[in-house]
Amino acid sequence: MKRFIAALTVTMMFTFGTFGGSGLAQPVEGYKNAGQGYETAFDQRIINRINVDNIYNNIEYLQQTPRVAATEEEYAAVQYIKSEFESYGYEAEVQPFEFFGFTAPHTVELSVNGDHLNPLSFTYTPSGEVTGNLKYVGLGRVVDLEGKNLDGKIALIQRGEISFGDKVLNAANAGAEGVIIFNNTTGNLNGTLGQANDKYVPAVSITQAQGNALVTQLDQGEVVTASLTVLGAESSMRTSHNVIASKKPTNKNKDNGQVVTVTSHHDSVPGSPGANDNASGTAMVLELARVMKNMPTDTELRFITFGAEELGLIGSRYYVNNLPEKELDRIVANFNLDMVGSQDAGDLVMRTVNGQSNLVTDLAQASSLRLNGEPTPFGQGGSSDHVPFGEKGISAALFIHSPLEPWYHTPEDTIDKISKEKLEDVAQIVGIAVYDYASFDNQGPKPKKQKVHNLPADMYHEVSIR
Ligand SMILES: [Zn+2]
């Protein structure tokens, strides 16, 4: 579909060139007169400047290794992004921020009376090797543990009612040296203890069937001995970085005082080269910064790549939360690019925090209508760095292809799955939308404050807390 539309667009431009003499359709007032499925000469300024090979090559460079937040590899990417901004003539700021991080264990083992189970660990479990007799303590509430001495034992606890973190603390307070929590539904239990705590003991999860079998054995009076091993888990303070490059308005006298942000995250999940997630968005932010550098604008354009997105939007939250109120009020739009180039994903969509249209979706629908003959659709969605902006009432949208590609968060997220055609499409839609607003002769919609809409805090995590 997109391929066909792109070809059609080129044909129409050619037709205009043949008949119009000027070679291009005349500029229109913003996008008000648009919707004919062809670009304006105004748009053409951006289209002509975007070089998709620059985006592709930067993805190829960045995806050589995973870029997990606060690792050397992420920092190398930060330095590269900074140097790229500088090569376009920007001054780039590297903004450090600290967070409490967890490294998942490399070894998680559990054997019960010699049988090997396949447990999962909990986020924020400490490492340790423990052997002891199992003691079943129900849901692991304070009342379940009252008067019980679990010294030297491993607590067997059922999921439910209170958080995993509280279950582990209650058992540890009663003397347990390790904790096994079994699911209360089918499937694996992938959980988090919520935050690190020195009082935690090593904790793993098993399935409901495995847990019930152990409870039955214990009920029959059997002595069940378990050996629990968690190695390589580590919780500590870490430092990640955002990279910020700003293009001030061309003419100080025509500064409208507003800021449009174009953002991405540069970190990846462990084990994934993150070509699409999110070297693609990062390379596109870089290219749009290069394209816009010498364009005449009355709006500040701020290009930012964030760290530690994959750990819960930490970099973007830090950025937004540390802006003075006055500075925050100047930001009228956030175009957030996350996963914008996979050949194996679906079509481009926009996601806003509250599911409503806003300045960003209005601008991008207008530009995509002109480019592709149909507006890019939008809907509600979180899970990326537009959320902290949207929650502050700023018009913000995530640009992403839906459905996601099968390589998402896997070692297969590599450069060979990247489509230049998709990259070019998104870069043009966003580039034109941004320029539409930031250029001197913008006739488009004015920014409006969104209603602040709080999302459930744990929607960025795939793991449960209880
Ligand atoms: Zn991402």
Side-chain angles (χ1 to χ4, degrees), residues 194-212:
Q195 56 191 12
N197 189 320
D198 287 345
K199 293 184 174 139
Y200 287 154
V201 292
V204 299
S205 72
I206 58 176
T207 65
Q208 182 176 33
Q210 290 168 334
N212 285 339

Side-chain angles (χ1 to χ4, degrees), residues 265 277-278 309-310 338-339:
H265 72 86
D277 186 12
N278 185 30
E309 186 268 357
E310 299 288 2
D338 194 354
M339 307 175 69

